[in-house]
């Protein structure tokens, strides 16, 4: 019978089938797009500790795991927490200290993961070559009670110096490490805390080589800058979305470690950094040493609680487990 069908009818039939298949593909594709669940992520600063969020966005990993994700820069911790509570934001990538304070005040927030700590080093003017040289000098911090201030005081204590006695602590009110270093180079203080890329940038601008007196990670002085927090209600009602988020981030870390060149491009795009040396420093200080599994860091949370207890006794007997929940990652790993 097929031999009796005119050639033009056979072609028309094939074209019709092809059109039907194409329309079905488009319909299925649109249906799949509609299945993407909305998910909003905020990040506090454009620093290397946020790279997995950007890599996941650039490589469409959120979509791969069923999320229509928006990655939003919200510098203010209080604003981000307010947006988290109202449901406008689902996960905050920011200071775990802010989440701890909010939780202690009764807000339903918990730390569910971490990309690790921002790398800080104790950097000094060229004339200061050792910790002994720092005795009797002035060290600059951001503001009293800040995470930087606590980290600085703990670092000095571990190095055998008594803050406010052996070393004068100068509150500068400046959060940006590069600006504090410029003050240091103007001889308004002798040392401060800064990240490797900030030190490099300041050295290029100032035309000097500064001394690195200590690495805070090596001293066991951790921070919660890379923590990931959510509202407790989402752990019950949006567990599948949180799992998808962590799948995307975990794969982003793997992709970032495997393809450094691509990661450098992502860092450059989001941080607006174009100096190859500085880009390499950012990568090495963040993604290169980032844990493959972004679990909450109990030791960092413990240090934050100890720091807070110095000025607020209500944190004295608190335990890290009261402010963290690693169940999502435990489920994914098992």
């Amino acid at each position: 019978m097929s031999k009796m069908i005119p050639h033009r009818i056979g072609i028309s039939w094939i074209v019709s089938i092809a059109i039907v298949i194409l329309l079905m593909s488009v319909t299925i594709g649109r249906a799949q797009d509609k299945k993407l669940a909305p998910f909003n992520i905020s990040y506090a600063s454009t620093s290397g500790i946020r790279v997995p969020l950007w890599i996941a966005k650039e490589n469409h990993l959120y979509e791969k795991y069923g999320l229509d994700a928006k990655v939003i820069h919200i510098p203010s911790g209080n604003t981000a927490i307010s947006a988290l509570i109202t449901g406008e934001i689902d996960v905050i990538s920011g200071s775990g200290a802010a989440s701890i304070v909010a939780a202690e005040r009764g807000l339903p927030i918990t730390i569910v993961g971490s990309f690790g700590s921002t790398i800080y080093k104790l950097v000094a003017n060229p004339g200061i070559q050792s910790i002994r040289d720092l005795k009797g000098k002035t060290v600059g911090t951001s503001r009293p009670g800040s995470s930087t201030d606590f980290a600085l005081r703990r670092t000095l204590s571990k190095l055998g110096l008594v803050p406010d006695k052996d070393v004068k602590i100068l509150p500068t009110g400046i959060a940006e490490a590069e600006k504090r270093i410029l003050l240091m180079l103007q001889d308004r203080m002798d040392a401060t805390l800064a990240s490797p890329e900030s030190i490099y940038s300041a050295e290029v601008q100032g035309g000097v080589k500064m001394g690195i007196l200590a690495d805070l990670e090596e001293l066991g002085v951790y921070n919660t800058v890379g923590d990931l927090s959510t509202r407790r209600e989402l752990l019950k009602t949006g567990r599948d979305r949180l799992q998808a988020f962590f799948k995307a981030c975990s794969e982003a870390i793997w992709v970032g470690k495997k393809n450094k060149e691509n990661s450098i491009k992502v860092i450059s795009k989001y941080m607006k950094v174009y100096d190859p040396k500085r880009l390499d420093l950012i990568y090495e200080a963040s993604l290169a040493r980032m844990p493959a599994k972004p679990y909450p860091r109990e030791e960092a949370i413990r240090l934050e609680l100890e720091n807070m207890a110095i000025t607020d006794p209500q944190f004295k007997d608190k335990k890290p487990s009261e402010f963290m929940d690693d169940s999502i990652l435990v489920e994914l790993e098992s």
Side-chain angles (χ1 to χ4, degrees):
M1 290 292 292
S2 61
K3 292 181 180 180
M4 298 174 64
I5 298 174
H7 179 67
R8 64 177 181 274
I9 294 177
I11 295 296
S12 176
W13 179 79
I14 293 171
V15 170
S16 298
I17 293 296
I19 291 172
V20 171
I21 292 172
L22 178 62
L23 289 173
M24 288 177 66
S25 299
V26 172
T27 302
I28 292 170
R30 287 177 177 171
Q32 288 176 337
D33 287 343
K34 289 180 181 178
K35 290 180 182 177
L36 292 178
F39 198 84
N40 296 328
I41 308 146
S42 75
Y43 61 94
S45 61
T46 50
S47 63
I49 206 71
R50 319 293 174 203
V51 177
L53 301 177
W54 306 330
I55 290 178
K57 187 69 176 176
E58 293 298 308
N59 289 274
H60 306 288
L61 297 178
Y62 297 123
E63 292 91 337
K64 175 179 177 179
Y65 293 106
L67 297 179
D68 177 16
K70 292 181 175 61
V71 183
I72 307 160
H73 181 208
I74 303 179
S76 168
N78 289 335
T79 302
I81 285 174
S82 296
L84 180 64
I85 294 298
T86 59
E88 298 170 83
I89 294 294
D90 298 299
V91 166
I92 294 174
S93 176
S95 170
S99 296
I100 291 169
V101 171
E104 184 60 23
R105 290 175 179 170
L107 295 178
I109 294 175
T110 187
I111 298 168
V112 288
S114 179
F115 293 138
S117 297
T118 293
I119 305 304
Y120 285 126
K121 296 182 184 292
L122 181 61
V123 61
N125 270 324
I128 298 176
Q129 301 296 322
S130 68
I131 295 300
R132 288 195 303 272
D133 297 335
L134 203 57
K135 193 167 185 178
K137 304 293 185 181
T138 300
V139 181
T141 184
S142 54
R143 64 183 188 279
S146 67
S147 295
T148 305
D149 186 59
F150 283 133
L152 174 61
R153 291 174 180 276
R154 187 173 290 273
T155 299
L156 292 172
S157 297
K158 280 182 170 285
L159 294 172
L161 296 171
V162 180
D164 297 316
K165 182 180 178 182
D166 295 331
V167 177
K168 179 183 177 182
I169 306 296
L170 174 66
T172 64
I174 299 173
E176 298 86 352
E178 288 177 37
K179 293 181 180 179
R180 291 201 304 272
I181 292 175
L182 291 177
L183 282 181
M184 186 180 78
L185 294 176
Q186 294 169 8
D187 292 326
R188 296 178 62 179
M189 56 191 186
D190 303 286
T192 191
L193 294 185
S195 61
E197 65 268 21
S198 297
I199 296 169
Y200 167 75
S201 180
E203 286 179 336
V204 170
Q205 291 182 55
V208 296
K209 184 70 175 176
M210 289 171 283
I212 307 297
L213 302 182
D215 182 309
L216 272 64
E217 283 273 309
E218 292 177 0
L219 289 174
V221 180
Y222 308 111
N223 59 70
T224 58
V225 174
D227 282 10
L228 300 161
S229 303
T230 191
R231 56 188 178 278
R232 290 189 177 276
E233 173 265 337
L234 200 61
L235 284 166
K236 299 177 181 178
T237 62
R239 206 164 183 82
D240 55 339
R241 288 190 292 150
L242 285 172
Q243 286 181 341
F245 167 74
F246 276 110
K247 286 178 183 178
C249 288
S250 297
E251 185 166 338
I253 294 171
W254 181 82
V255 168
K257 289 177 179 287
K258 184 179 179 182
N259 192 336
K260 181 178 178 179
E261 183 179 354
N262 179 68
S263 301
I264 292 291
K265 289 179 181 178
V266 173
I267 293 170
S268 179
K269 176 180 178 178
Y270 282 85
M271 294 185 67
K272 310 298 181 188
V273 174
Y274 309 103
D275 182 328
K277 173 65 174 177
R278 188 174 183 190
L279 285 167
D280 190 66
L281 284 170
I282 294 171
Y283 176 86
E284 293 299 328
S286 57
L287 197 56
R289 58 190 299 174
M290 195 171 287
K293 302 168 185 176
Y295 276 95
R297 302 183 77 191
E298 185 174 343
E299 68 276 17
I301 296 173
R302 181 179 293 106
L303 284 177
E304 290 286 11
L305 290 170
E306 290 176 6
N307 290 336
M308 292 173 183
I310 296 172
T311 55
D312 192 339
Q314 69 178 333
F315 289 102
K316 186 176 181 181
D317 297 319
K318 297 294 180 179
K319 299 178 181 178
S321 58
E322 298 176 52
F323 302 92
M324 58 179 274
D325 186 320
D326 63 0
S327 61
I328 294 287
L329 284 160
V330 169
E331 287 175 8
L332 288 177
E333 188 166 8
S334 63

